[in-house]
Amino acid sequence: MTDNRASVFVSYSRSDRGFVRRLLEQLKRSEREVWVDLDDIPPTADWLAEVKAGIEAAETFLFVISPDSISSEVCQTEVAHAAGLNKRIVPVVHSEVDERLVPEPLAQRNWLFFRNEDEFDSGLRALNEALDTDLDWLHAHAELLRRALAWERGGRRRSALLRGTELREAEAWLASESGGGQQPTAAHREFILASRRAAGRRQRSVLAAVSAALVVAIGLGILALTQRSTAIENQKRAESQQLAAVADSQLRVDPERSLLLSLEAVDISETDAALESLKRALGASRVRETLAGDEDAKFSPDGRTVTTIAKGNAYLWDLKSGERMAVSRRSNPSVLASPVVYSPDGSLVAIGESSHSRILDARTGEELARIGGAVGVAFSDDSSLLATGAIRSGVIRIWDPRSGKRLRTLRGHAARVHALVWAPARRLASASLDGTARIWSLEARDGRVQGNGRSVVLRGHENRLRDIDYSPDGETIATASEDGSARLWDASSGAELAVLRSGRHGKVETVDFSPEGSRLVLPHGDGTLQIWTSDGRLLRTLRGHRGEARGAEFSPDGRLIASAGFVDHTARIWDAGSGRTVAVLRGHRDIIKPVHFSPDGSQLVTASGDGTARVWSVSSGEDAVSLTGRGGSEPTALAAAATGRLIATGDSHGNIRLWNSVTGAPVAALERDRSAIRTLAFTPVGKALVAAGDSAEARIHTLAGHGSTKVLRGHHGLINAVAVDGAGDLVLTAGQDGTVRLWGLDGTLERVLGAEGGEEPGEGSGGAPLRTAAFDPAGKRLIAGGDDGVARIWDVRSGRLEHALLAHDGAIERVNFSPDGELAVTAGNDGAAVVWDADRGDRVATLEGHSGALHDARFSPDGQFVVTASDDESARVWDSHSGEQLQLIRGHEARVVTGSFDRQGELVLTAGWDGTARVWDSGSGEPVATLDGPGNLVSQAEFTPGGAVVMRAEDSKTALLYSCELCLAPEALRHLAEERVTRELTPAERAEFLDEAP
């Protein structure tokens, strides 16, 4: 095989030989090695073995689709072999075919078209682009598969296993992702794992021999003891590294198992490999609770509890503690319960069963009533009515859920009612296995349900209905059917509005409207999901599940979609806007039935045939959320509220937007400024936001209540800095005119401070332009610095200039007070920082060592340390009293423009013009995390109160919010991992991966 282009196996029908010859000629011109049989050789056993060997060796399996090829038994055999090896399959359409006859491994891929009416050259460009994607990953896939199959067919000889560098590279490949969605096979995993176990045994044998020799040599003296100690430590390090590699191999199988193995590796020895493996496993493992459950699981409306069904018993769980609150046991051992439905007010839970259904108190689990058996179960919006569909007939019954009294019986369906949903105005919609849906209008008066029992019938589906949903405004109904389509109906008249069907994708199990009602998501029997608009336009098809997808729903904010894989035992989280896979949730060992978001969208719950229900975090701890406004304008400023959950971004068009600092969800857009936003500052509790743009004006935006905006006018030039005092009563603005101005939150000008004191200067007479200013925490003093290198400290109450500190030979870029207000720090473009006694104005320490201009200097939370950021591509940590340099932080490849401590003082965050923000251990200076920025020049990065990181770049049109859960020092990382695991390694796992006796 050539080293630089993908090798290709071509499967085709002899009737398409002319087209294949032309295609082969073009592929060979691209220097590709192509396996294609152009001779008429009977399909003997030897010939078929050679064909299969060709498929096994190739990186890509190319199938020419035509009526003859999809009806060919030989082609069918080739497709099945390629699919079984998880090969990349590229279908090329030469002639039109009936899509229903196309084998599933071909139907679920993107097709390239080379029909007579298609342009050959454009198709060839698309084909070459597809073939050149993920080459390194595919080369490794093919080579490792060849060796794995040879090992298996050769009797699994130990001599055929991987060793050394080959093994480490194979393990790294196994833990990596293919951008095209290909997966390693079971043969890959078994071969690599067997290689690792064999390597572990070899290493242990060698180390055991070394240890034995050392025991004999103890009598030779202290040198031998030292050597033995070193050997034992080396043995532990080697075992730790080997186990870390095994843990990495499990990332794509069961991330929680990988996490458990990584913890074992860290327990043996805290090697870099073990810690990195631990971090990777923490990022991949999103399981937060493992509960008993095999049929269904739902969050309560307040998100505090979960109800699961396990072997027909209903369990109520407290999510905060993970403890079981109550259990309601089934009365008939032969009957399994299925749907779990909470009442909208959260007070009741209904459990559907075939023999009877139960209504439970959602707080205590006490059974309040027992009613008829049901599959479809739905509470009305006010929780006063419960509708159920009978198991063995098309009857719908309406109940008083608290007493269990039957209020009404609705007849009309000819088969079981599979799904029910209430809409406003007492309308009930039902979907039945008879292929129809119905809309019922009901009224409730004096505890009785009235109405004539008639319904509007929705006809059109060609097979049984599986689900039904109302749009949020109650005006549209969507139905899902085994005929492979969904349909939209007018909820008032029952008129059909649209048929949602695209190609042959198999039955549709569920349908879900997005929260705003403009989109729907449909999971299909072939494993794809489709997103449609509410007016019947297909937006995109999501591919990733192998086999049937049973359930899918939008997150509460509509930004994500969760889906359940019935066959591949995974759940997936998708970006609803782009269709990108956000996460694959692995760990279940059997079919996954439901998947549901928590009310706040931060968690998911799944239930599986393996007997467990799992609660998953939607965020991995390393996820980044884009904070992007409309119009593609560039973010120019950001701020995080000291308390609360708000982030503010300002952009080059004068827009200011508020975001949730935990989820990144948009909260509000404020009144637009007339110029690009330069600086932002929240009041301490986040009730107001101060903004200044490319003008002589600033604005105070009140966020509480109905909100208002106060415009601050008076500066004679640009405003370079804004700040708010600790009490949230005063705002300062510092400008190009050399003045600091103090304002009340109502916009009243309180005082103007100039270079010579508290008297208001005339236009242009305030002194040198000011670049930076800050209040002390108590709001008693403020400090400002500017182009003349002088830092000035004023008494806020009197306006008296207390100190004029000749600080730097050049402009001052940053000033800050210590948390107790006793010290101040100034950072200058002369490459030094100075710590001052704020009360006396004395110089405490000069922080010298940088070889470039400083851009930032900030105190640690206890005031004992200062971090500085410089043009010399470094940050440094200093003792604030002695001026001693404690840590030199290097890693950025361009100027470092900001540096700050987290709230505990354990971490340092830096932002650089190399396009990254970086997190460091403040005590050791060691790197903890590297966060890729939204552009090439990250110019601001801040910790939020919750520990996330928000950053912006000067050359991008977005800001990023990182959850940064894994930005932790090693001991804290280990502690988090111990808290996160929801189970222990099983005896079988310990025997397989740790070589322990079962």
Side-chain angles (χ1 to χ4, degrees):
M1 294 184 187
T2 59
D3 292 333
N4 60 334
R5 308 308 298 267
S7 59
V8 184
F9 181 98
V10 180
S11 177
Y12 73 103
S13 166
R14 295 289 184 265
S15 62
D16 301 318
R17 191 177 322 189
F19 166 73
V20 172
R21 287 185 185 278
R22 182 184 179 190
L23 188 63
L24 176 62
E25 179 182 342
Q26 295 300 322
L27 292 175
K28 287 185 175 179
R29 284 184 180 179
S30 299
E31 300 180 359
R32 301 189 191 280
E33 182 171 339
V34 182
W35 201 109
V36 58
D37 177 19
L38 293 174
D39 301 318
D40 289 319
I41 300 175
T44 62
D46 290 343
W47 177 83
L48 285 175
E50 186 177 348
V51 166
K52 288 184 177 181
I55 295 173
E56 292 164 7
E59 277 92 21
T60 300
F61 178 86
L62 189 152
F63 189 92
V64 179
I65 294 180
S66 69
D68 290 327
S69 66
I70 63 173
S71 62
S72 165
E73 289 187 12
V74 171
C75 290
Q76 296 275 7
T77 300
E78 292 171 351
V79 169
H81 192 59
L85 297 173
N86 291 350
K87 288 289 180 180
R88 177 170 63 184
I89 297 177
V90 177
V92 167
V93 180
H94 178 50
S95 305
E96 290 288 356
V97 297
D98 184 344
E99 291 187 10
R100 292 174 297 180
L101 302 178
V102 177
E104 185 173 309
L106 301 174
Q108 65 186 12
R109 264 72 175 186
N110 291 323
W111 292 1
L112 301 178
F113 292 94
F114 285 80
R115 300 163 299 189
N116 291 333
E117 64 268 29
D118 298 316
E119 184 183 349
F120 186 88
D121 289 343
S122 62
L124 186 64
R125 285 193 296 273
L127 176 59
N128 277 317
E129 182 178 345
L131 294 178
D132 285 336
T133 301
D134 272 349
L135 281 187
D136 290 342
W137 196 93
L138 291 165
H139 280 317
H141 184 287
E143 177 59 20
L144 287 170
L145 180 64
R146 181 190 67 77
R147 295 186 63 172
L149 294 176
W151 169 70
E152 190 173 274
R153 293 164 182 166
R156 301 193 171 208
R157 297 190 309 273
R158 186 173 296 183
S159 60
L161 294 172
L162 302 168
R163 301 185 182 205
T165 301
E166 281 188 330
L167 176 55
R168 289 191 294 274
E169 290 176 349
E171 288 169 334
W173 172 83
L174 190 62
S176 66
E177 291 280 352
S178 159
Q182 282 73 44
Q183 302 279 340
T185 64
H188 282 110
R189 293 191 176 94
E190 189 173 1
F191 177 59
I192 294 171
L193 188 57
S195 298
R196 171 50 62 195
R197 284 201 294 263
R201 283 192 291 269
R202 285 194 301 272
Q203 184 71 31
R204 282 191 292 275
S205 297
V206 171
L207 292 170
V210 171
S211 297
L214 287 169
V215 170
V216 173
I218 286 176
L220 298 178
I222 191 68
L223 179 60
L225 288 174
T226 303
Q227 290 174 334
R228 180 177 183 275
S229 176
T230 300
I232 291 173
E233 180 58 32
N234 288 340
Q235 178 181 359
K236 289 182 177 180
R237 292 182 61 81
E239 289 180 356
S240 172
Q241 291 166 346
Q242 290 165 5
L243 190 52
V246 173
D248 284 344
S249 74
Q250 295 301 300
L251 277 174
R252 291 174 56 80
V253 181
D254 184 346
E256 188 171 35
R257 179 189 293 159
S258 176
L259 183 56
L260 290 163
L261 292 171
S262 296
L263 276 171
E264 293 277 348
V266 171
D267 284 342
I268 294 171
S269 180
E270 206 170 275
T271 59
D272 290 343
L275 289 171
E276 287 301 313
S277 175
L278 185 66
K279 184 176 289 189
R280 284 190 290 269
L282 267 170
S285 179
R286 300 177 185 235
V287 182
R288 297 297 177 263
E289 296 289 347
T290 299
L291 314 170
D294 54 19
E295 284 292 324
D296 202 3
K298 294 276 177 61
F299 287 100
S300 62
D302 62 9
R304 296 179 180 178
T305 62
V306 165
T307 295
T308 66
I309 302 298
K311 297 182 179 179
N313 301 317
Y315 296 90
L316 276 67
W317 308 87
D318 181 279
L319 278 183
K320 187 173 183 179
S321 65
E323 298 296 322
R324 191 178 74 190
M325 299 164 51
V327 57
S328 173
R329 301 195 180 277
R330 60 179 178 169
S331 58
N332 185 344
S334 65
V335 173
L336 292 181
S338 184
V340 173
V341 181
Y342 275 92
S343 61
D345 64 8
S347 64
L348 304 174
V349 180
I351 310 295
E353 295 185 20
S354 56
S355 61
H356 62 267
S357 299
R358 289 169 278 169
I359 301 173
L360 312 177
D361 185 299
R363 292 175 296 274
T364 65
E366 177 187 359
E367 187 175 304
L368 302 178
R370 187 168 291 194
I371 59 178
V375 172
V377 180
F379 281 96
S380 60
D381 288 349
D382 62 2
S383 305
S384 65
L385 300 176
L386 179 68
T388 63
I391 288 288
R392 295 179 177 83
S393 70
V395 170
I396 299 171
R397 296 184 175 93
I398 312 297
W399 310 83
D400 179 330
R402 298 188 180 278
S403 67
K405 179 182 178 182
R406 187 169 63 189
L407 304 177
R408 188 66 188 271
T409 300
L410 305 177
R411 303 180 186 277
H413 283 296
R416 178 195 304 171
V417 174
H418 201 269
L420 293 161
V421 62
W422 290 87
R426 294 292 188 189
R427 284 179 296 170
L428 176 69
S430 55
S432 170
L433 299 186
D434 66 8
T436 70
R438 291 177 179 251
I439 306 170
W440 312 79
S441 295
L442 304 170
E443 295 180 3
R445 294 180 183 173
D446 301 325
R448 302 183 63 186
V449 178
Q450 299 178 345
N452 57 20
R454 295 178 182 175
S455 59
V456 177
V457 183
L458 312 182
R459 301 184 189 277
H461 281 292
E462 301 167 3
N463 208 326
R464 302 188 297 183
L465 269 61
R466 306 296 297 183
D467 197 20
I468 191 165
D469 194 22
Y470 267 104
S471 61
D473 61 10
E475 296 181 0
T476 306
I477 288 175
T479 53
S481 170
E482 292 182 9
D483 66 7
S485 76
R487 295 178 186 241
L488 301 178
W489 316 80
D490 184 283
S492 298
S493 65
E496 184 177 280
L497 302 176
V499 178
L500 313 184
R501 185 201 303 269
S502 174
R504 175 179 170 267
H505 292 285
K507 64 183 178 181
V508 184
E509 279 285 341
T510 63
V511 59
D512 186 54
F513 276 100
S514 61
E516 81 287 349
S518 64
R519 296 163 295 161
L520 303 95
V521 61
L522 312 177
H524 286 278
D526 67 350
T528 62
L529 283 76
Q530 290 186 332
I531 303 176
W532 296 78
T533 63
S534 57
D535 58 1
R537 291 182 295 109
L538 177 63
L539 289 176
R540 58 184 49 85
T541 299
L542 312 182
R543 304 180 187 276
H545 282 295
R546 291 182 291 108
E548 186 177 351
R550 272 288 178 93
E553 70 173 38
F554 282 94
S555 62
D557 62 6
R559 300 174 71 182
L560 301 173
I561 290 172
S563 61
F566 192 72
V567 176
D568 63 11
H569 308 164
T570 69
R572 287 179 176 253
I573 303 173
W574 314 78
D575 184 295
S578 66
R580 176 180 62 90
T581 299
V582 174
V584 181
L585 308 182
R586 297 183 171 93
H588 279 303
R589 297 183 300 279
D590 205 333
I591 58 176
I592 299 177
K593 298 176 181 179
V595 56
H596 300 292
F597 279 100
S598 62
D600 65 0
S602 66
Q603 294 182 310
L604 282 173
V605 65
T606 57
S608 169
D610 63 13
T612 66
R614 300 191 180 203
V615 178
W616 312 78
S617 173
V618 171
S619 168
S620 72
E622 293 183 324
D623 294 341
V625 178
S626 294
L627 310 180
T628 307
R630 296 179 180 176
S633 54
E634 178 184 337
T636 52
L638 63 83
T643 59
R645 291 187 169 188
L646 286 180
I647 293 170
T649 59
D651 67 25
S652 55
H653 292 175
N655 300 301
I656 301 175
R657 293 180 174 85
L658 302 180
W659 313 83
N660 184 299
S661 65
V662 176
T663 65
V667 174
L670 304 184
E671 180 181 333
R672 185 175 177 180
D673 204 329
R674 291 181 294 182
S675 61
I677 305 301
R678 293 165 57 87
T679 182
L680 296 164
F682 277 102
T683 57
V685 293
K687 291 184 178 180
L689 178 71
V690 185
D694 257 340
S695 71
E697 297 178 354
R699 296 186 179 213
I700 300 175
H701 299 274
T702 303
L703 307 180
H706 298 292
S708 63
T709 301
K710 303 294 182 183
V711 181
L712 312 181
R713 296 186 177 95
H715 280 284
H716 306 294
L718 294 179
I719 296 172
N720 294 324
V722 297
V724 184
D725 73 340
D729 297 329
L730 278 180
V731 171
L732 74 75
T733 56
Q736 199 73 13
D737 61 4
T739 68
V740 175
R741 296 173 185 253
L742 300 178
W743 315 79
L745 284 186
D746 60 359
T748 303
L749 179 62
E750 301 285 344
R751 191 177 301 280
V752 180
L753 308 177
E756 303 307 321
E759 296 300 321
E760 180 172 358
E763 182 174 351
S765 63
L770 297 178
R771 299 190 177 198
T772 176
F775 282 106
D776 76 353
K780 295 179 179 180
R781 292 189 176 99
L782 67 86
I783 184 172
D787 286 358
D788 61 0
V790 178
R792 294 175 173 86
I793 298 178
W794 284 275
D795 178 274
V796 170
R797 183 179 295 274
S798 67
R800 180 174 59 88
L801 178 63
E802 293 187 345
H803 305 290
L805 311 174
L806 184 56
H808 297 278
D809 295 328
I812 297 176
E813 298 289 342
R814 173 77 76 163
V815 294
N816 272 304
F817 281 101
S818 61
D820 60 8
E822 294 181 1
L823 300 176
V825 64
T826 58
N829 60 19
D830 59 359
V834 181
V835 179
W836 305 87
D837 184 301
D839 188 28
R840 298 192 303 270
D842 295 336
R843 185 181 294 244
V844 175
T846 301
L847 314 181
E848 293 180 315
H850 285 289
S851 59
L854 298 192
H855 295 279
D856 204 0
R858 305 194 210 185
F859 285 97
S860 61
D862 60 6
Q864 298 300 306
F865 310 103
V866 170
V867 61
T868 54
S870 170
D871 267 355
D872 66 6
E873 301 182 3
S874 77
R876 299 174 191 236
V877 178
W878 315 78
D879 185 291
S880 60
H881 291 85
S882 69
E884 178 188 358
Q885 179 182 303
L886 303 176
Q887 301 298 339
L888 171 60
I889 295 175
R890 287 199 178 276
H892 285 285
E893 298 175 358
R895 68 172 55 174
V896 183
V897 291
T898 64
S900 59
F901 289 92
D902 72 337
R903 298 184 80 178
Q904 290 73 40
E906 297 175 353
L907 301 174
V908 167
L909 171 66
T910 58
W913 279 23
D914 59 355
T916 68
R918 297 174 186 247
V919 182
W920 315 82
D921 185 300
S922 63
S924 66
E926 293 297 315
V928 172
T930 299
L931 311 177
D932 290 330
N936 295 321
L937 304 173
V938 177
S939 49
Q940 190 176 0
E942 306 287 344
F943 280 114
T944 69
V949 169
V950 61
M951 68 179 81
R952 71 175 181 88
E954 291 196 0
D955 61 338
S956 86
K957 298 186 183 302
T958 187
L960 288 183
L961 173 67
Y962 276 90
S963 60
C964 208
E965 255 185 333
L966 306 186
C967 299
L968 297 172
E971 191 57 37
L973 197 70
R974 181 175 180 171
H975 181 67
L976 177 63
E978 290 169 345
E979 288 184 338
R980 282 283 173 82
V981 292
T982 65
R983 66 180 183 88
E984 296 180 351
L985 289 170
T986 65
E989 288 173 326
R990 299 191 75 86
E992 180 176 0
F993 299 105
L994 304 179
D995 280 345
E996 292 184 1

